[in-house]
């Protein structure tokens, strides 16, 4: 039993293999948070302290007891109006126009299996893998209910949280703020690890102390964004990759979000993860309900690598779906950096033939194949094949590509429209434009109002009509701007539109996944602008970044790896000099970095020398050899490429008999000193053979002292070592 209710002390305890989470229904019916950390038995309510604290008021029920204050007690779901002046998880505007919610425990149920959320992505599990706790809280004055959901996956050390607000009052209310996950910690000093960035430089790692005042990250862009990723880690001050306590919160949502972390006046820490408050006021008439997306949480007492491994395992096997979720993904060639908009059917076929000759498995036709789409200026919204440009029908093109032994994939950007398109001319009100104002353009495009079902239906039908023309086995779903000018002509309140937009997106994706279960969908938003756990439910891989420079990718993939499985991060070998940075790197370096993701190519193969083609054949063979280990193994970060001389990481099979270590030198100096790569995760004091050199090493020595990184002239050299256990 992973969820246990103890009647005497009124505690509810959630156990996973290595962690314990505990809450208590207290004497006044408040749901207090007691503990989240290393697995522990017993009641932890001794952690609650009661003192008379100035300017921390007391609920009326506490009578003359000045020591009982919600301003100091750790809570599961803090709301505005109980005397807690810290940042709340929930703000509701009531029928009487007040902002008070005083949620008290009403009941709870424990069920086998993991809850699911209608219309929203969520972790899934079979009944014997998970349990669900539902705690019903009620504001006894308004009747508004908050149903807290907890999903427990014991083997994965994962706890998920969500909340449903039900309007059981007599009138209209609106939900102004909602964070399904709150972590209140009474002691300790913590760091807030977040992932910031920009287009083509996503998910940079930042670690800063949680101090007094609230640190907040988030996205006001209507999508999860390049700028901040909707996942955070809270780590004890001295936590490293290999030791110490740390918590993760990953939002299973692809729209605007916010995460707040702060220390209160009593040196207690609160961390929240939830929906962005900006332009959000979700209307609920009497009887209606609002379902928040869920947050995936995990705790590791053994440092950050273990925390990432917990998340990777859960997302890979219990969030991603479909036939490709654990399969080795096909090696693809994408036409974008090969020819951008400038192609014909013949040039694509020529490229595809080259790809087939090299052993590449899938050809992806990127942007530029539909409507009048010959540049960024026009065509989005008109999903009809430009047969004149292709010189044939889509079905014929796919047939020829399939005849070469290649699968075929196609790029789409369903959420967008150019003003220069038939769709916009016919339905100008389908794009987000505020009446009387001129809209913000971005990449010359506007965003379609996916909060409206008729808009989603229309685009869905157009896209299906394209997909039905031939044997399409892959889709790249792109989204190339942030939302703005939020106004929906048919909405009863504009405060719901951003959330409903995301539901529209998920509805489209869900229908696509059901209708075409054999199609692999790769998410994309100008690279990794919507790289989040919500999208992974529909798209088991996401284009990691529009930046394909392997040296920049070291940092991007490093940041990504803290939360997301390696199998989800699209990573391609592109041309040198690189199109985004102008940097020159060897084919080997580009190959090693791309191998640490979902592997593919994105360059004009016609420009390659015979020598380079030979290298590519070698890389393809290597990918096939190592892909199961890379995609399914345990991932360890060895260095931090933001600050160290080299980027180094490794994959270890779950049974610890095999490991692949990869490294790229970043900073080069004369008379170079030697860096030692400390290899982790192997069996203790066991001999391993490095298969490239045949040399045998002791695993403990490899971890304690490391493997010397070769010193050689020249920048950005890549190395790879493959270890096999000598002892059974
Ligand atoms: C975005 C994507 C690219 C490419 C272009 C096409 O920028 O991230 O990979 O598909 O759009 O317009």
């Amino acid at each position: 039993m992973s969820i246990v209710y103890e009647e005497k002390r009124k505690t509810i305890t959630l156990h996973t293999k290595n962690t314990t989470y505990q809450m208590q229904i207290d004497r006044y019916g408040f749901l207090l948070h007691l503990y989240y950390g290393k697995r522990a038995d017993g009641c932890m309510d001794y952690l609650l302290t009661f003192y008379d604290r100035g300017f921390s008021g007391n609920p009326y029920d506490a009578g003359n007891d000045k020591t009982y204050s919600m301003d100091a007690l750790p809570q599961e779901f803090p709301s505005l109006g109980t005397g807690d002046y810290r940042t709340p998880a929930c703000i509701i505007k009531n029928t009487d126009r007040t902002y008070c919610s005083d949620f008290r425990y009403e009941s709870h149920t424990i069920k086998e299996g993991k809850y699911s959320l209608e219309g929203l992505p969520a972790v899934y599990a079979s009944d014997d893998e998970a349990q669900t706790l539902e705690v019903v809280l009620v504001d006894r004055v308004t009747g508004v209910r908050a149903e807290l959901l907890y999903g427990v996956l014991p083997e994965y050390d994962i706890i998920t949280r969500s909340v449903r607000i039900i309007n059981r009052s007599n009138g209209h209310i609106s939900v102004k703020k909602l964070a399904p996950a709150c972590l209140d910690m009474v002691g300790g000093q913590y760091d807030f690890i977040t992932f910031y960035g920009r287009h083509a430089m996503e998910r940079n790692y930042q670690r800063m102390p949680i101090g007094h005042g609230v640190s907040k990250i988030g996205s006001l862009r209507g999508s999860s964004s390049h700028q901040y990723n909707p996942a955070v880690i809270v780590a004890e001050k001295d936590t490293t990759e290999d030791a110490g306590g740390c918590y993760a919160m990953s939002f299973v949502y692809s729209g605007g979000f916010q995460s707040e972390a702060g220390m209160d006046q009593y040196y207690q820490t609160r961390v929240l993860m939830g929906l962005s408050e900006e332009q959000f006021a979700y209307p609920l008439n009497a009887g209606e309900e609002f379902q928040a997306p869920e947050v995936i949480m995990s705790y590791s007492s053994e440092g950050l690598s273990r925390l990432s491994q917990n998340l990777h395992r859960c997302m890979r096997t219990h969030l991603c779906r479909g036939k490709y979720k654990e399969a080795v993904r096909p090696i693809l060639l994408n036409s974008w950096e090969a020819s951008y908009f400038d192609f014909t059917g013949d040039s694509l076929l020529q490229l595809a033939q080259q790809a087939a000759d090299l052993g590449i498995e899938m050809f992806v036709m990127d942007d530029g194949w539909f409507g009048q789409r010959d540049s960024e200026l026009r065509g989005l919204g008109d999903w009809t094949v430009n047969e004149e440009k292709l010189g044939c029908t889509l079905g014929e093109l796919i047939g020829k590509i399939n005849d070469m032994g290649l699968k075929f994939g196609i790029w789409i950007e369903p959420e967008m429209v150019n003003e220069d398109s038939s769709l916009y001319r016919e339905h100008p009100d389908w794009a987000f434009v505020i009446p009387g104002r001129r809209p913000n353009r971005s990449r010359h495009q506007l965003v379609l109002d996916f909060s409206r079902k008729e808009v989603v239906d229309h685009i869905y039908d157009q896209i299906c009509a394209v997909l039905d023309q031939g044997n399409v086995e892959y889709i790249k779903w792109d989204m190339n701007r942030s939302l703005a000018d939020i106004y929906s002509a048919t909405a009863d309140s504009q405060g719901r539109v951003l959330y409903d937009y995301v539901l529209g997106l998920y509805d489209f994706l869900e229908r696509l996944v059901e209708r075409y279960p054999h199609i692999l969908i790769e998410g994309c938003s100008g690279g990794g602008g919507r790289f989040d756990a919500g999208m992974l439910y529909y798209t088991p891989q996401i284009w990691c970044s529009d930046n394909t420079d392997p040296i920049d990718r070291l940092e991007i993939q490093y940041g990504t790896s803290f939360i997301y499985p390696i199998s989800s991060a699209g990573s391609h070998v592109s041309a040198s000099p690189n199109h985004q940075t102008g940097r020159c790197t060897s084919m080997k370096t580009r190959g090693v970095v791309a191998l640490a993701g979902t592997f593919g190519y994105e360059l004009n193969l016609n420009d390659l020398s015979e020598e380079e083609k030979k290298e590519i054949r070698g890389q393809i063979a290597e990918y096939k050899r190592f892909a199961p280990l890379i995609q399914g193994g345990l991932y360890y970060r060895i260095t931090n490429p933001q600050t160290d001389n080299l980027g180094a990481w490794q994959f270890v099979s779950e049974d610890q008999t095999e490991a692949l270590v990869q490294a790229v030198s970043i900073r080069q100096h004369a008379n170079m000193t030697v860096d030692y790569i400390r290899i982790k995760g192997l069996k203790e004091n066991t001999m391993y053979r490095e298969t490239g050199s045949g040399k045998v090493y002791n695993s403990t020595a490899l971890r304690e002292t490391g493997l010397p990184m070769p010193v050689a002239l020249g920048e950005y050299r890549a190395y790879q070592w493959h270890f096999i256990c000598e002892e059974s």
Side-chain angles (χ1 to χ4, degrees):
M1 282 270 282
S2 47
I3 305 179
V4 185
Y5 173 62
E6 211 266 302
E7 174 65 39
K8 206 161 137 247
R9 310 283 284 267
K10 295 219 173 337
T11 56
I12 308 176
T13 308
L14 319 180
H15 286 300
T16 72
K17 201 167 159 194
N18 300 296
T19 74
T20 293
Y21 186 111
Q22 193 172 66
M23 64 194 87
Q24 185 173 48
I25 303 143
D26 89 334
R27 57 196 131 141
Y28 305 118
F30 289 110
L31 189 64
L32 303 181
H33 175 77
L34 295 183
Y35 178 84
Y36 187 24
K38 198 168 178 169
R39 182 154 179 146
D41 293 318
C43 176
M44 260 67 88
D45 65 0
Y46 69 89
L47 289 165
L48 304 173
T49 58
F50 299 89
Y51 295 102
D52 177 359
R53 293 157 156 137
F55 280 77
S56 286
N58 323 105
Y60 210 82
D61 331 30
N64 289 334
D65 180 2
K66 284 171 73 184
T67 70
Y68 188 99
S69 176
M70 298 312 284
D71 204 20
L73 287 166
Q75 295 163 63
E76 282 299 309
F77 189 59
S79 57
L80 198 69
T82 60
D84 180 354
Y85 295 94
R86 294 168 289 183
T87 182
C90 176
I91 303 176
I92 289 172
K93 186 176 179 189
N94 296 309
T95 310
D96 64 3
R97 299 193 298 280
T98 61
Y99 292 91
C100 176
S101 301
D102 183 356
F103 288 119
R104 310 285 179 109
Y105 172 87
E106 189 180 80
S107 63
H108 78 268
T109 46
I110 297 168
K111 294 183 196 140
E112 297 309 310
K114 160 80 175 51
Y115 65 83
S116 55
L117 304 176
E118 210 192 316
L120 284 166
V123 166
Y124 59 87
S126 60
D127 280 3
D128 54 359
E129 283 178 314
Q131 278 193 316
T132 292
L133 166 70
E134 188 175 313
V135 185
V136 179
L137 307 178
V138 180
D139 180 320
R140 293 167 188 165
V141 173
T142 61
V144 173
R145 287 155 73 98
E147 296 183 354
L148 309 187
L149 292 164
Y150 299 78
V152 185
L153 281 75
E155 282 306 309
Y156 293 81
D157 285 329
I158 292 287
I159 293 174
T160 64
R161 284 196 64 175
S162 184
V163 56
R164 194 180 301 132
I165 301 294
I166 303 172
N167 182 8
R168 291 264 173 91
S169 75
N170 300 321
H172 178 89
I173 63 168
S174 67
V175 183
K176 305 269 295 169
K177 177 178 185 183
L178 197 57
C182 171
L183 195 54
D184 268 2
M185 292 179 288
V186 285
Q189 279 200 310
Y190 298 92
D191 288 338
F192 195 36
I193 299 176
T194 58
F195 305 93
Y196 69 94
R198 57 187 186 274
H199 175 233
M201 206 58 220
E202 300 90 337
R203 290 175 299 286
N204 299 279
Y205 168 92
Q206 172 173 272
R207 182 169 180 160
M208 58 184 175
I210 298 178
H212 294 283
V214 174
S215 302
K216 178 174 171 180
I217 60 144
S219 163
L220 277 59
R221 293 167 180 270
S223 66
S224 47
S225 93
H226 300 86
Q227 286 70 17
Y228 293 99
N229 194 265
V232 299
I233 294 174
V234 178
E236 282 176 45
K237 275 254 137 325
D238 50 2
T239 293
T240 63
E241 283 290 348
D242 310 312
C246 45
Y247 305 84
M249 286 182 174
S250 169
F251 203 18
V252 189
Y253 187 62
S254 310
F257 76 98
Q258 62 189 38
S259 179
E260 298 162 277
M263 202 189 255
D264 71 11
Q265 56 185 333
Y266 306 119
Y267 291 76
Q268 309 183 109
T269 298
R270 170 170 293 171
V271 186
L272 297 168
M273 173 65 88
L275 296 162
S276 172
E277 274 172 87
E278 308 297 331
Q279 300 186 72
F280 179 72
Y282 206 90
L284 292 181
N285 291 319
E288 290 180 344
E289 52 187 69
F290 179 79
Q291 177 63 61
E294 76 174 8
V295 175
I296 301 175
M297 299 173 56
S298 189
Y299 170 79
S300 154
S301 62
E302 294 166 39
L304 296 163
S305 286
R306 171 58 65 87
L307 189 70
S308 300
Q309 290 162 8
N310 291 347
L311 294 173
H312 292 179
R313 216 191 253 127
C314 170
M315 291 186 190
R316 217 177 58 229
T317 62
H318 287 74
L319 184 63
C320 292
R321 298 177 297 168
K323 83 173 215 194
Y324 284 101
K325 75 169 190 175
E326 291 191 80
V328 170
R329 311 283 164 77
I331 303 172
L332 63 85
L333 173 83
N334 180 295
S335 69
W336 183 242
E337 287 197 28
S339 51
Y340 298 97
F341 290 108
D342 186 15
F343 60 81
T344 61
D346 282 344
S347 74
L348 293 182
L349 288 171
Q350 206 194 346
L351 197 59
Q353 188 56 60
Q354 298 259 14
D357 293 347
L358 290 172
I360 290 170
E361 295 160 322
M362 181 158 72
F363 181 81
V364 177
M365 177 169 70
D366 209 280
D367 196 356
W369 57 265
F370 54 91
Q372 297 303 304
R373 184 78 170 166
D374 275 321
S375 76
E376 291 179 354
L377 287 168
R378 58 187 61 84
L380 287 172
D382 294 341
W383 299 104
T384 46
V385 180
N386 185 345
E387 294 181 353
E388 207 182 312
K389 183 168 180 177
L390 295 184
C392 60
T393 65
L394 180 64
E396 285 161 355
L397 184 80
I398 298 175
K400 287 181 192 161
I401 287 175
N402 284 169
D403 286 346
M404 296 173 188
L406 292 171
K407 295 180 193 297
F408 178 82
I410 197 165
W411 178 97
I412 56 175
E413 192 179 1
E415 297 153 84
M416 298 292 156
V417 66
N418 285 114
E419 287 156 274
D420 190 354
S421 68
S422 306
L423 183 79
Y424 188 75
R425 282 186 282 272
E426 255 171 66
H427 297 288
D429 65 311
W430 282 10
F432 282 129
V433 177
I434 299 177
R437 294 180 192 270
R438 288 186 295 179
N440 291 282
R441 290 179 175 145
S442 185
R443 209 191 191 209
H444 313 287
Q445 62 199 54
L446 302 179
V447 185
L448 287 172
D449 180 358
F450 264 33
S451 75
R452 289 170 65 173
K453 189 169 178 319
E454 70 270 33
V455 180
V456 172
D457 287 349
H458 178 88
I459 303 294
Y460 177 77
D461 289 343
Q462 281 203 6
I463 296 290
C464 290
V466 171
L467 298 176
D468 291 342
Q469 287 173 34
N471 179 23
V472 176
E473 294 183 75
Y474 164 104
I475 293 170
K476 177 173 171 188
W477 178 302
D478 212 339
M479 194 271 192
N480 279 315
R481 63 159 291 177
S482 306
L483 277 60
D485 307 290
I486 301 307
Y487 171 80
S488 183
T490 55
D492 57 353
S493 152
Q494 300 306 318
R496 66 184 301 155
V497 176
L498 282 172
Y499 177 84
D500 287 351
Y501 175 93
V502 181
L503 289 194
L505 164 70
Y506 289 154
D507 171 44
F508 193 139
L509 282 162
E510 184 63 33
R511 282 195 256 166
L512 215 53
V513 164
E514 271 173 27
R515 180 167 166 154
Y516 303 102
H518 64 286
I519 294 186
L520 169 63
I521 311 180
E522 175 156 351
C524 177
S525 173
R530 200 161 57 184
F531 204 126
D532 57 65
M535 287 307 287
L536 285 181
Y537 188 65
Y538 309 95
T539 70
Q541 63 193 55
I542 300 176
W543 182 224
C544 196
S545 176
D546 272 350
N547 186 344
T548 55
D549 176 310
I551 304 309
D552 277 356
R553 273 293 183 115
L554 292 175
E555 291 181 38
I556 297 167
Q557 292 178 191
Y558 171 77
T560 307
S561 79
F562 277 87
I563 309 293
Y564 303 104
I566 305 308
S567 58
S568 69
S571 193
H572 299 168
V573 172
S574 65
S576 175
N578 178 269
H579 291 191
Q580 294 81 43
T581 61
R583 188 174 358 231
C584 294
T585 52
S586 70
M587 184 60 87
K588 170 150 191 199
T589 299
R590 284 175 274 154
V592 164
V593 175
L595 273 175
T598 295
F599 189 65
Y601 289 86
E602 184 148 349
L603 73 173
N604 192 346
L605 301 174
N606 298 306
D607 296 341
L608 296 179
S609 66
E610 281 312 311
E611 186 53 36
E612 286 172 315
K613 287 185 184 170
K614 202 172 140 210
E615 276 192 78
I616 288 183
R617 285 197 184 91
Q619 286 172 351
I620 288 172
E622 218 157 55
Y623 170 77
K624 297 214 155 146
R625 178 171 172 216
F626 294 132
L629 178 59
I630 290 172
Q631 298 190 1
L634 298 171
Y635 183 79
Y636 291 87
R637 290 170 292 271
I638 304 179
T639 65
N640 175 351
Q642 294 173 320
T643 49
D644 291 333
N645 283 339
L646 64 149
W649 61 92
Q650 66 175 103
F651 306 90
V652 183
S653 61
E654 294 254 5
D655 66 3
Q656 298 176 295
T657 58
E658 188 185 5
L660 180 70
V661 180
Q662 299 179 313
V664 176
S665 65
I666 304 173
R667 273 162 278 275
Q668 181 75 1
H669 302 287
N671 198 9
M672 195 70 187
T673 52
V674 177
D675 286 295
Y676 289 82
I677 300 173
R678 294 181 171 216
I679 296 169
K680 312 171 190 187
L682 304 181
K683 293 181 193 175
E684 194 64 40
N685 198 16
T686 302
M687 303 312 286
Y688 282 75
R689 185 168 44 84
E690 199 282 305
T691 58
S693 63
K695 278 194 192 164
V696 174
Y697 298 86
N698 177 280
S699 60
T700 301
L702 281 177
R703 187 187 64 228
E704 296 300 312
T705 314
L707 187 72
M709 174 80 172
V711 170
L713 292 184
E715 280 187 311
Y716 313 129
R717 288 184 177 275
Y719 301 90
Q720 188 164 278
W721 299 273
H722 176 233
F723 295 93
I724 294 277
C725 183
E726 286 268 282
E727 302 161 29
S728 52

